[in-house]
Structures are given as structure tokens and as C-alpha cells.
Amino acid sequence: MAEVFARSAALYDRVKRVIPPIEWPVFAGDIEAILDLKRQRNAVILAHNYQTPEIFHCVADIVGDSLALARKAMTVEADVIVLAGVHFMAETAKLLNPDKTVLIPDAQAGCSLADSITAADVRLLRQRYPGVPIVTYVNTSAAVKAESDICCTSGNAKAIVEALGVPQVIMLPDEYLAQNIAAQTAVKIIAWKGHCEVHERFSPADIRQLREDHPGVTVLAHPECPPEVVAEADFSGSTAAMSDYVGQKKPARVVLMTECSMSDNVAVDHPDVEFIRPCNLCPHMKRITLGNIREALQQNRHVVSIDPGIAGRARLAVERMLAI
Ligand code: 13P
Ligand code: SF4
């Protein structure tokens, strides 16, 4: 035990506020092996803000929100990309790096938003609203992206909708994100009825209770939360925007209305901020572990591949977004 701590002291020091010492020996062996495998395979690990701290802070090379991961995926020079996140994120990385090997440690790491809509649904919407541009959240399959005009993330949705210069757009598939953006723009938005199973569970009553229990708390909410929740919050933005808010404004007490690991990951860099931690777990994000990242690198699995019949059109929708 003492030997494990001695070998990984610098890494443990970084996460000691969010990982109890009793858990560290369980993680340390996998972390060492993964760092080794990355060198052997010339691999990088991209990790979303919802990954657990031992992944986010100890093995990832690039971290961020969906937008940052997509942008940074374009600049990766390694041969292998391991996407510690959910399947649509791995597909986006593959779309932008068709010649690289992209691995997702658990192929079942899905997303309730991506599951809420099919390519056939998008084709029907196009028939129903001819000429209205289709803006598709990156939380969708490549097949759905291929039927869309342009993608967006929670970090750029307003800018994308407004950049199109049209009075009306269709925005898929997150109804609440669409409603939250509609409240900030003159562009009329036609929404779909998809919801994030993590964020739809927060309510305005939760926020009122938090304010009563923790006077002075600053409430930040992800825009996948229902509009009534966003209305009660002090700020709403993507996972990266919430993290930046904490870094820049340094609230004395904060609560992030989002996935559980987010607070742990942000807290590591802000020991002076008190984090109140009600949160909802994303069961899909939590499928990714150090153990299956290690296996992914050892056994080259699960390789992400995209049907060539849809990859070109899906890539175009992502690239149009990145160009704005
Ligand atoms: P961000 O783009 O804000 O990181 O959100 C992705 C996501 O899946 C949120 O639930
Ligand atoms: Fe999908 Fe919600 Fe999980 Fe994000 S938190 S991956 S939107 S289910």
C-alpha cells in the first residue's frame, strides 16, 4: 500500500480531495498500466467532463465539453484515440479522424437524447417543414447527423441558430435545449420531444430547497434542464461554461445542476469553493471505467466505425458547425 502511494504520489495529490485514500490502491495499478499502454500504442485519451476524477484527472490527455472534444479531436496527432465518454462522442471523433483508430471502452455507452430520434424521423420532419434548416445537437447518431444541415452543442447552439440567418429552424432532438435557446433568440425554433434522462429530473423545487438549505449558494444549470429549472438558476451553460464560471467568478458556494462527476472534477482545481452536491448520475457515462479503458488499449476494442454511406454527410454537418 505504502509502495503504491509512493509511486503515484504526485497523481494522488491532485485528486486527494475527491478520491478517499482507501480507494486509491484500487485505481493506481490501472492508471500506471494505462499510462504505459498510451506510450506503447501512441494513443491519447479524450475524456468528457462527466467522467470520474480518476479518469478525468489521472489518465486523460484532453478533457472538456462536447464542443471542446470535437474541436480538439481534429488536432490529435496520435494513432489511436480512446474516447472516455458516450458513443456519439466517439462517432464525432471518428468522423473528424477517419484515418485514425477510435476506440470506445464500452460500446453500450449510449445517450437518451441520441436514442430519441432516428434518421427516418429527420427525413419526415424535412418533408413536413420544407426549406427549414435542421440544426442537430451532437448528442445524436451519425445517421441522424447525416440527415441534418448543421450540428450544434450546448456551448454554441445560440450562435449556430443565429448564424443561419433564417427566421425559423428545426432543432433536434432536445426539447429543453431548444426551448432554452428559443428564450434567448428571435429565431423561431421547432423542437423534437427528446430529453436527457439525467437533466430532466431536476425541478425548480429542488433549487428553491437548495437555496433555503444553503443560503447564498450560486446555482448553475445545464441547458438540457427544463426551462423552469434554468429560469430559477443564476447561470446556465454547457459543462465547460459552468466550469469557466466557477473559475472566473469564484462563488463561495456553488451547486451544479448536472451530472455527479462534474462537481468532483471542477472541485479539484478550486479548493476555496464549497460545492453542494445534489446531482444525477448518467448511467451511460458511468459505463466507462479505468478497467475497460485499459482493456480497450490492450485488446484494441471497441473500434468505432461509421457506414461510409453516411459518414461523408454526417462529417459535413459537424464541420459546418466547427466553421462557425
Ligand atoms: P456538454 O456539451 O455541455 O458537455 O454536454 C454534453 C452532455 O451530454 C450533457 O449531458
Ligand atoms: Fe446523454 Fe444526458 Fe448522459 Fe449527457 S447526461 S450523455 S445527454 S443521457
Side-chain angles (χ1 to χ4, degrees):
M1 180 107 152
E3 197 191 311
V4 173
F5 275 94
R7 272 210 312 270
S8 53
L11 265 183
Y12 185 62
D13 199 49
R14 179 146 176 71
V15 290
K16 66 179 182 222
R17 292 182 59 250
V18 291
I19 299 181
I22 192 142
E23 287 181 18
W24 185 248
V26 178
F27 296 141
D30 279 335
I31 291 172
E32 245 178 277
I34 290 167
L35 297 180
D36 222 37
L37 283 160
K38 281 202 298 182
R39 283 189 287 271
Q40 284 171 31
R41 295 211 53 195
N42 189 24
V44 290
I45 298 179
L46 270 58
H48 185 260
N49 289 327
Y50 294 162
Q51 291 297 295
T52 45
E54 68 281 4
I55 295 174
F56 188 90
H57 287 290
C58 301
V59 297
D61 301 281
I62 294 173
V63 294
D65 65 356
S66 307
L67 181 59
L69 293 184
R71 279 198 193 290
K72 290 176 188 165
M74 285 202 306
T75 64
V76 165
E77 282 182 2
D79 299 321
V80 179
I81 297 174
V82 180
L83 202 303
V86 292
H87 196 261
F88 75 82
M89 295 176 177
E91 274 193 338
T92 306
K94 180 66 182 175
L95 286 172
L96 296 169
N97 290 279
D99 301 329
K100 293 192 195 301
T101 299
V102 176
L103 304 175
I104 180 144
D106 186 326
Q108 305 299 316
C111 169
S112 67
L113 281 169
D115 286 345
S116 73
I117 191 159
T118 66
D121 293 328
V122 186
R123 287 194 289 273
L124 281 174
L125 280 164
R126 208 180 270 290
Q127 272 173 24
R128 183 156 169 206
Y129 299 101
V132 180
I134 299 181
V135 179
T136 290
Y137 198 28
V138 284
N139 297 40
T140 46
S141 65
V144 164
K145 290 183 177 78
E147 300 295 335
S148 312
D149 296 297
I150 188 165
C151 286
C152 73
T153 72
S154 61
N156 63 14
K158 179 170 179 272
I160 299 284
V161 162
E162 294 184 340
L164 297 176
V166 291
Q168 177 169 255
V169 302
I170 298 168
M171 197 170 160
L172 307 171
D174 188 347
E175 182 181 28
Y176 296 148
L177 178 69
Q179 289 171 345
N180 286 323
I181 298 300
Q184 302 168 32
T185 179
V187 180
K188 186 167 178 281
I189 298 183
I190 300 163
W192 183 252
K193 282 228 176 285
H195 297 146
C196 162
E197 68 189 87
V198 174
H199 292 94
E200 71 176 350
R201 279 156 47 208
F202 291 113
S203 74
D206 293 337
I207 299 188
R208 289 194 287 270
Q209 190 64 51
L210 281 160
R211 291 197 194 279
E212 209 177 298
D213 294 346
H214 306 278
V217 70
T218 299
V219 181
L220 313 185
H222 194 276
E224 288 171 9
C225 292
E228 317 81 73
V229 171
V230 168
E232 291 266 348
D234 298 301
F235 172 81
S236 173
S238 76
T239 55
M242 287 192 274
S243 176
D244 291 348
Y245 184 103
V246 174
Q248 283 156 19
K249 306 254 172 164
K250 297 244 178 257
R253 284 179 147 180
V254 73
V255 59
L256 310 182
M257 308 300 282
T258 191
E259 212 276 340
C260 300
S261 292
M262 192 53 210
S263 293
D264 289 342
N265 290 333
V266 182
V268 164
D269 293 323
H270 302 288
D272 44 341
V273 176
E274 182 193 356
F275 286 79
I276 313 296
R277 297 173 194 229
C279 60
N280 292 327
L281 269 179
C282 173
H284 313 289
M285 288 281 179
K286 262 53 231 186
R287 281 181 172 271
I288 310 300
T289 63
L290 286 176
N292 59 24
I293 292 175
R294 181 177 179 170
E295 284 165 13
L297 283 164
Q298 276 166 338
Q299 298 169 30
N300 202 44
R301 69 175 201 197
H302 301 270
V303 176
V304 176
S305 65
I306 300 171
D307 178 345
I310 58 173
R313 286 177 296 134
R315 183 176 308 121
L316 207 59
V318 176
E319 283 174 350
R320 284 192 190 121
M321 166 184 88
L322 294 174
I324 288 178

